[in-house]
Amino acid sequence: MIETLIWIVVAVVAIGLYLSWTAGRLDRLHARIDAARAALDAQLLRRASVTQELASSGVLDPAASIVLYQAAHAARQAEEEQREVAESELSQALRAVFGEAAQVEAVQAAPGGEDAAGELAAAVRRVPMARRFHNDSVRAARALRRHRKVRWFRLAGHAPFPLAFEMDDEPPVALADRPGS
């Protein structure tokens, strides 16, 4: 009788430790999602800021400046529900303006243009990496949250179900090929 009781206590403690470990793992994944989202937000903001700066510098032709400035402004001011669409539109505007190497060369030829083009190229390249890190973290948390033990024992608590950030982040060919910082 006592031996059975000891085995039951050992089993309950082992299950409790396993569930505690799983809950801790899920908490760490949620923290990683938060950190990756903050990094993604910073890269998106940097890309929009650099784009606005370049658009208002007078280096580009007026039509391209207006298109880029409006798209960057919309991306910076977008509400959370519209953010993916606004960021995709900024990507499309960047591809439309910098689709050919001639436009990048024209920017580089202007005073201070080399630095501006390099900064924009770096910002454009970092967005897909930041988005990939964020979405990988979301994917891992979703996979863990789908397990029965997580649902049955409510190990996720009241944390919202993690959502991926889906946007068009394809960089313009002329900027993506640039060696840079």
Side-chain angles (χ1 to χ4, degrees), residues 12-45:
V12 168
V13 168
I15 291 170
L17 286 173
Y18 178 71
L19 291 175
S20 175
W21 176 82
T22 303
R25 181 172 169 229
L26 190 57
D27 187 49
R28 287 187 301 276
L29 282 172
H30 283 146
R32 194 168 88 188
I33 289 171
D34 291 342
R37 181 58 189 244
L40 175 61
D41 286 341
Q43 292 304 323
L44 291 171
L45 180 62

Side-chain angles (χ1 to χ4, degrees), residues 29-170:
L29 282 172
H30 283 146
R32 194 168 88 188
I33 289 171
D34 291 342
R37 181 58 189 244
L40 175 61
D41 286 341
Q43 292 304 323
L44 291 171
L45 180 62
R46 182 171 184 261
R47 180 180 76 156
S49 298
V50 170
T51 302
Q52 274 187 317
E53 208 173 284
L54 183 62
S56 61
S57 69
V59 172
L60 299 170
D61 65 87
S65 292
I66 290 171
V67 167
L68 284 181
Y69 190 86
Q70 287 178 343
H73 180 72
R76 289 182 73 174
Q77 300 299 318
E79 296 293 325
E80 193 59 36
E81 304 83 40
Q82 297 299 318
R83 183 103 187 262
E84 294 172 349
V85 173
E87 293 294 348
S88 294
E89 289 172 354
L90 177 55
S91 295
Q92 292 165 1
L94 285 166
R95 279 197 309 273
V97 172
F98 294 107
E100 298 177 12
Q103 184 72 333
V104 176
E105 291 167 6
V107 169
Q108 291 172 337
E114 184 69 36
D115 291 338
E119 196 173 343
L120 182 60
V124 163
R125 272 194 313 272
R126 288 183 181 134
V127 167
M129 288 187 294
R131 189 175 77 86
R132 193 173 316 116
F133 288 140
H134 175 267
N135 288 350
D136 287 347
S137 298
V138 166
R139 200 171 303 114
R142 282 180 167 183
L144 184 58
R145 286 182 70 150
R146 284 191 193 106
H147 290 177
R148 276 190 219 128
K149 66 181 176 265
V150 172
R151 291 192 320 262
W152 287 352
F153 292 101
R154 298 183 181 175
L155 299 180
H158 297 289
F161 196 73
L163 299 174
F165 194 86
E166 297 301 332
M167 65 171 271
D168 174 5
D169 60 3
E170 186 68 30

Side-chain angles (χ1 to χ4, degrees), residues 1-24:
M1 176 72 174
I2 291 181
E3 185 177 321
T4 305
L5 188 59
I6 290 173
W7 281 111
I8 291 173
V9 169
V10 167
V12 168
V13 168
I15 291 170
L17 286 173
Y18 178 71
L19 291 175
S20 175
W21 176 82
T22 303

